[in-house]
Amino acid sequence: MSSSEPTTAAATPASDENQLIAERREKLRHLRERRAQGQGVAFPNDFKPLHRAAALHEQYGATESEDLQAQAVAVSVAGRMMLKRMMGKASFATLQDGSLGETAGRIQLYVTRDAIGEDAYAEFKRLDLGDILGAEGTLMKTKTGELSVKVTRLRLLPRACAPCPTSSTACRTRKPSTASATST
């Protein structure tokens, strides 16, 4: 084999990334077409998050689940979707904002079909890692004790056309394990 021939292993990641970008651009084209037909604004800029992940963890991280439920703390957060776990009628996503702190600016979203509706849940299923989301809801704790937002309203802000970079803190999709499937 001559040195001018590319190796298959080196060419595969680039072609995979090109395919991901092409798929995301197609989703963007579809979104723009739907918005052109009067189904909303393609890139809304009127969402104003009122809370940051680090501050929510600092203020409510030690609060017991029952106390959070009784307080019904309404929150509004926005950030990049870094993780997504689909589990049928209920799913989890992790948003990361710029607040950093001990949690690296991350907060979990608990998204259910019943809370946001069929259409919004179908849209959520089509979202990609790296997309910027705005979420409103109430604070809760999962059975594992993780502070989460029980989402009642979810909006796609800008789409991510390129995949997240590969690193230890990169975006990723996880398949639910039997332990995490019952963590609500």
Side-chain angles (χ1 to χ4, degrees), residues 51-69 71 73 75 77 85 92-95 103 105-110 138-150 183:
H51 303 91
R52 305 284 277 179
L56 290 172
H57 280 283
E58 185 177 315
Q59 186 172 0
Y60 298 102
T63 306
E64 295 295 325
S65 178
E66 297 79 24
D67 294 337
L68 272 179
Q69 189 174 1
Q71 292 176 29
V73 180
V75 297
V77 295
R85 292 180 292 165
F92 291 93
T94 300
L95 285 192
T103 62
R106 292 181 179 213
I107 192 157
Q108 179 171 264
L109 302 181
Y110 174 62
T138 56
L139 285 181
M140 62 170 270
K141 289 239 178 139
T142 63
K143 288 182 181 178
T144 61
E146 185 168 354
L147 186 65
S148 303
V149 178
K150 186 175 185 179
S183 64

Side-chain angles (χ1 to χ4, degrees), residues 12 18 27 60 62 72 99 136 167 169 175 184:
T12 302
N18 288 339
K27 287 180 180 182
Y60 298 102
S99 62
E136 296 174 352
S167 72
T169 61
K175 294 183 180 179
T184 59

Side-chain angles (χ1 to χ4, degrees), residues 79-154:
R80 182 176 300 274
M81 183 168 55
M82 303 300 286
L83 181 114
K84 181 178 176 184
R85 292 180 292 165
M86 302 299 297
M87 296 196 256
K89 294 181 182 182
S91 298
F92 291 93
T94 300
L95 285 192
Q96 182 173 359
D97 61 24
S99 62
L100 302 177
E102 290 181 22
T103 62
R106 292 181 179 213
I107 192 157
Q108 179 171 264
L109 302 181
Y110 174 62
V111 184
T112 64
R113 185 179 300 167
D114 294 339
I116 66 171
E118 291 285 336
D119 292 340
Y121 194 73
E123 284 292 319
F124 172 70
K125 289 168 68 173
R126 286 190 283 272
L127 296 176
D128 292 315
L129 298 179
D131 287 344
I132 308 294
L133 307 179
E136 296 174 352
T138 56
L139 285 181
M140 62 170 270
K141 289 239 178 139
T142 63
K143 288 182 181 178
T144 61
E146 185 168 354
L147 186 65
S148 303
V149 178
K150 186 175 185 179
V151 177
T152 55
R153 185 170 173 237
L154 188 68

Side-chain angles (χ1 to χ4, degrees), residues 22-36 159 161:
E23 289 172 5
R24 289 178 180 211
R25 285 186 176 160
E26 179 60 27
K27 287 180 180 182
L28 178 60
R29 185 191 61 75
H30 179 69
L31 177 67
R32 285 180 172 155
E33 285 176 0
R34 288 187 48 222
R35 302 305 189 214
R159 281 203 61 85
C161 286

Side-chain angles (χ1 to χ4, degrees), residues 35-55:
R35 302 305 189 214
Q37 297 169 358
Q39 296 180 7
V41 179
F43 302 107
N45 65 356
D46 61 343
F47 187 87
K48 306 275 188 272
L50 302 175
H51 303 91
R52 305 284 277 179

